[in-house]
Amino acid sequence: MSRVRAAMGELAALLGDYTLRTVALGAAVLGLLGGTLGTFAVLRRQSLLSDALAHATLPGVVIGFLLTGTTSGSGLMLGAAATAALAAGLVLVVVQRTRVKQDAALALVLSVFFGAGTVLLTYVAGTGASGQSGLDRFVLGQAASLVAADVRAMAAATAVALAVVALTYKELKLVAFDPAFARAVGYPVRRVEALLTVLLVVAIVVGIQTVGVVLVAALLITPAAAARQWTDRLAVMIVLAALIGALSGAAGAVLSATTTDLPTGPLVVLVATAVLVLSLPARRLRVRAGARRAAVGEAA
């Protein structure tokens, strides 16, 4: 009993820490957004697109710094969004106008943009420019640098993205499951696909400060993949993925705070991965249960 009380006391002390509350809330908001939008990426088999767009933000971050001279403010985020959008456009052009397949185009864009970002980072480090401190945190993330203003901005972006998903849910659902039928009945499939890409860019830009360009795609895909094991209904999958993402974010932040020198971003991804591993048997159990119900129905 005394151990339980001691553990509860330690948890209360942790939650009373301003930095931990800020980081945990920011990571939870990011996980919620990532799980929601990652659902559509998983269903449309666009996991590699998410990874390519995430890596494509790195040169934009550095260009944003070169233009503004500071690692704070919106300049870096706008630069990241611009290069991610450029990468998405390049993939579309390459696939439509050449014989290169989409997976190859995504791999090329990922490599080229991340390589360009690494070169730019090295260049900035060599110039000794003032204000560059913390610029490299966007590679692997530094959740501890989050402040209340960052969390408010993340929450605002998340609210807007979730509102867009709610308003266009029917269109997103149809395009995610049967784009050919959606096109045949007159839905603007390309516009819906472009909207999904924009929403993915928003989620990636929101998350790069917390988990970095290398890991942010994992926070988009892993909660959705875990949720997929539990249900075949889109609405339920979205809610489950959002909850898994939010809980993984908060849990990763708490684990980071209780362990010395372990970064928050990778811990968040590892927690989400652990949930995915534990969820893998669920789909097989659901299939077996469905088969048993079908057998009982036929026997009756």
Side-chain angles (χ1 to χ4, degrees), residues 154-270:
M154 293 167 67
T158 298
V160 172
L162 294 182
V164 172
V165 170
L167 291 172
T168 59
Y169 176 76
K170 185 173 72 173
E171 292 80 2
L172 294 175
K173 179 179 180 179
L174 189 56
V175 171
F177 284 104
D178 197 342
F181 176 75
R183 189 176 291 107
V185 297
Y187 276 84
V189 174
R190 286 192 177 181
R191 292 182 183 179
V192 175
E193 290 177 341
L195 175 63
L196 280 171
T197 301
V198 170
L199 291 174
L200 283 177
V201 170
V202 170
I204 289 166
V205 171
V206 167
I208 55 176
Q209 183 175 352
T210 305
V211 297
V213 301
V214 175
L215 295 176
V216 69
L219 198 54
L220 287 169
I221 302 306
T222 310
R228 185 70 179 90
Q229 310 308 310
W230 294 97
T231 183
D232 291 323
R233 297 176 58 191
L234 177 59
V236 176
M237 182 178 171
I238 290 174
V239 173
L240 283 177
L243 289 175
I244 292 171
L247 292 174
S248 298
V254 172
L255 287 174
S256 176
T258 56
T259 310
T260 305
D261 295 330
L262 289 182
T264 301
L267 281 174
V268 170
V269 172
L270 288 175

Side-chain angles (χ1 to χ4, degrees), residues 71 84 103 152 162 193 202 224 281 284:
T71 57
D103 58 343
R152 286 194 294 269
L162 294 182
E193 290 177 341
V202 170
R284 182 177 299 176

Side-chain angles (χ1 to χ4, degrees), residues 54-56 58-59 109-119 139 213-214:
H55 283 74
L58 184 58
V109 166
L110 185 155
S111 303
V112 170
F113 275 74
F114 190 69
T118 304
V119 170
V139 178
V213 301
V214 175

Side-chain angles (χ1 to χ4, degrees), residues 45-46 48-49 91 95 100-107:
R45 295 179 175 86
Q46 289 190 327
L48 185 55
L49 173 62
V91 170
V95 171
V100 177
K101 301 298 183 182
Q102 186 178 41
D103 58 343
L106 289 170

